[in-house]
């Protein structure tokens, strides 16, 4: 079946329309697995450690390979790399679905599958940001990133998880096969992007010199102090966030007095707030610029953590989480756009991978810290610690954030 042209789907042009559509499909598939994956693990084992370990297994590749995947992605054609990764991930999910359908799946097999998916994600995500830069004018990157963030919220957080749970109830292999389909369709759409995204210059050996490329990316980032400060702040903010929210379900049920259904509603509050992200980003960016967005983010998150540490009424927490959802969309769009606009294109995949590693690695470290603090000192202590960390970062990075000045960071343009 021919795929209709997405010219009308995006005012940012046909190539971005294909990327946007592919992102919507793959995020829907990731959201399906977000619910179906834990359900599958829980159907194979009753061990809390094994169920919880599945999250770590999927995040582990970012800690192990992020720097190398970014360096390799900078050497390859970004479009072809994403297509190849999506096809590989689709085949992996088809194999797992087959084992599940025949009743021969094991926890180890699911772990291996999740690890492979995580490795593929490090390459695909590292290549996706340079591909967006190649398809969208620099002054339109904010709009593009806001729209991509919207598809993440709608597919990964709102539509995907309930769909995954419903499909799993019919048959445990169906959501796995469904995600394979989204990977294939995403690969087809990305393949329709008719742009040359191969790196310029003479071809270089793929294996030899990758470490040198990694060091080159780290040296450039170290020399760009404002951007280095930004990524360092993101790392600390993710450590702080997971330090506070590692025991979110216990905080909600024991301290706020919510039942399981009410906790599910609370979880969706941030996703609902995220729907307003693209419009909010355009409005806020025109008034305060990227530096203002980043500064507000630090103080908002620090204040939110301290507010939750006082255990306010549940409706206050829910309303704050809606605002937090909008805030994370605006903050994420601003940070991604700044990185894209200030990083040289030959280094963009490497810097993007470092940014992602700070995000995911910080979350993993914060989860371990938060669980330990909650066990030793109580469920609200992580919020006090997280709030203090973020406010320290807010003060320490004030001048450095102001120094990040992309050439087109100007007001008065449409970013919605």
């Amino acid at each position: 079946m021919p795929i209709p042209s997405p010219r009308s789907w995006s005012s940012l042009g046909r190539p971005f329309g294909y990327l946007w559509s592919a992102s919507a499909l793959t995020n829907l598939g990731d959201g399906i697995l977000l619910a179906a994956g834990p359900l599958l693990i829980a159907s194979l084992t009753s061990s809390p450690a094994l169920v919880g370990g599945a999250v770590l297994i999927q995040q582990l590749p970012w800690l192990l390979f992020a720097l190398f995947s970014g360096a390799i992605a900078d050497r390859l054609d970004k479009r072809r790399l994403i297509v190849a990764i999506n096809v590989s991930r689709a085949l992996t999910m088809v194999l797992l679905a087959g084992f599940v359908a025949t009743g021969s799946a094991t926890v180890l097999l699911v772990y291996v599958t999740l690890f492979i998916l995580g490795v593929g994600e490090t390459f695909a995500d590292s290549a996706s940001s340079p591909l967006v830069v190649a398809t969208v004018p620099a002054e339109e990157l904010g709009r593009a990133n806001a729209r991509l963030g919207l598809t993440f919220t709608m597919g990964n957080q709102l539509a995907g998880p309930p769909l995954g749970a419903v499909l799993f109830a019919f048959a445990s292999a169906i959501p796995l096969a469904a995600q394979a389909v989204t990977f294939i369709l995403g690969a087809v759409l990305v393949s329709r992007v008719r742009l040359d995204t191969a790196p310029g210059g003479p071809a270089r050996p793929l294996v030899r010199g990758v470490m040198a490329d990694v060091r080159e990316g780290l040296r450039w980032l170290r020399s760009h102090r404002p951007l280095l400060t930004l990524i360092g702040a993101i790392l600390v903010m993710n450590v702080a966030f997971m330090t506070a929210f590692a025991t979110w379900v216990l905080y909600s049920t024991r301290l706020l007095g919510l039942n399981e259904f009410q906790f599910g509603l609370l979880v969706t509050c941030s996703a609902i707030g995220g729907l307003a992200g693209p419009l909010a980003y355009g409005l806020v960016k025109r008034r305060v610029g990227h530096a203002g967005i980043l500064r507000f983010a630090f103080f908002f998150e620090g204040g939110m953590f301290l507010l939750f540490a006082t255990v306010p009424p549940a409706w206050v927490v829910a309303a704050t989480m809606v605002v937090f959802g909008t805030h994370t969309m605006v903050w994420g769009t601003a940070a991604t756009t700044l990185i894209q606009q200030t990083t040289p294109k030959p280094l963009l995949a490497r810097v993007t991978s470092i940014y992602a590693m700070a995000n995911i690695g910080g979350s993993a470290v914060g989860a371990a810290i938060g669980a330990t603090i909650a066990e030793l000192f109580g469920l609200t202590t992580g919020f006090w610690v997280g709030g203090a960390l973020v406010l320290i970062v807010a003060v320490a990075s004030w001048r450095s954030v102001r120094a990040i000045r992309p050439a087109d960071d100007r007001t008065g343009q449409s970013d919605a």
Side-chain angles (χ1 to χ4, degrees), residues 133-158:
V133 172
T135 58
V136 177
E139 65 273 13
E140 300 286 4
L141 283 172
R143 295 176 63 202
N145 289 319
R147 295 184 181 189
L148 290 170
L150 178 63
T151 60
F152 170 82
T153 298
M154 295 183 67
N156 192 281
Q157 300 182 0
L158 286 178

Side-chain angles (χ1 to χ4, degrees), residues 8 13 55 72 74 97 111 115 117 128 148 167 202-203 210 264 270 283 286 292 299 304 311-312 336 360 371 382 401:
S8 61
V55 178
I72 293 173
D74 273 331
Y111 272 24
F115 187 81
L117 292 177
S128 63
L148 290 170
L167 293 177
V210 168
S270 61
L283 294 174
R286 286 196 297 271
F299 285 102
M304 183 184 74
V311 193
T336 301
I360 299 173
V401 168

Side-chain angles (χ1 to χ4, degrees), residues 88-363:
S88 300
R89 292 193 287 185
L91 293 175
T92 302
M93 294 306 297
V94 167
L95 289 174
L96 178 61
F99 280 104
V100 171
T102 58
S104 53
T106 64
V107 173
L108 178 60
L109 178 64
V110 177
Y111 272 24
V112 171
T113 302
L114 292 176
F115 187 81
I116 292 173
L117 292 177
V119 172
E121 187 178 39
T122 66
F123 284 95
D125 286 5
S126 296
S128 63
S129 188
L131 190 57
V132 172
V133 172
T135 58
V136 177
E139 65 273 13
E140 300 286 4
L141 283 172
R143 295 176 63 202
N145 289 319
R147 295 184 181 189
L148 290 170
L150 178 63
T151 60
F152 170 82
T153 298
M154 295 183 67
N156 192 281
Q157 300 182 0
L158 286 178
L163 178 59
V166 170
L167 293 177
F168 189 89
F170 280 103
S172 54
I174 293 180
L176 309 179
Q179 190 183 34
V181 172
T182 65
F183 281 139
I184 289 295
L185 293 177
V188 172
L189 286 165
V190 173
S191 71
R192 301 293 294 271
V193 178
R194 304 303 184 189
L195 292 174
D196 182 11
T197 57
R204 296 175 293 172
L206 181 58
V207 177
R208 188 179 61 198
V210 168
M211 284 301 301
D213 286 357
V214 171
R215 289 193 294 269
E216 180 187 12
L218 292 173
R219 280 197 302 270
W220 180 87
L221 186 59
R222 188 170 62 245
S223 68
H224 197 289
R225 295 299 296 275
L227 201 57
L228 179 63
T229 300
L230 173 63
I231 293 179
I234 290 168
L235 172 63
V236 176
M237 288 179 73
N238 277 277
V239 171
F241 180 84
M242 288 307 298
T243 296
F245 281 82
T247 54
W248 182 232
V249 62
L250 299 179
Y251 173 92
S252 302
T253 55
R254 295 182 184 179
L255 300 185
L256 297 181
L258 304 182
N259 58 34
E260 289 80 358
F261 175 73
Q262 291 170 330
F263 172 70
L265 293 178
L266 181 62
V267 170
T268 63
C269 285
S270 61
I272 293 171
L275 296 177
L279 176 62
Y281 169 77
L283 294 174
V284 175
K285 191 259 182 182
R286 286 196 297 271
R287 286 164 174 76
V288 302
H290 285 133
I293 290 174
L294 300 181
R295 286 172 169 172
F296 172 80
F298 297 143
F299 285 102
F300 174 79
E301 288 202 21
M304 183 184 74
F305 296 154
L306 297 180
L307 171 65
F308 288 179
T310 66
V311 193
W315 69 267
V316 174
V317 174
T320 306
M321 290 304 294
V322 173
V323 179
F324 174 74
T326 305
H327 147 77
T328 55
M329 274 287 299
V330 174
W331 150 264
T333 299
T336 301
T337 303
L338 282 170
I339 290 171
Q340 291 171 341
Q341 291 178 334
T342 56
T343 304
K345 290 183 180 180
L347 298 172
L348 186 52
R350 275 166 278 184
V351 176
T352 298
S353 68
I354 296 171
Y355 170 63
M357 186 172 64
N359 265 315
I360 299 173
S363 296

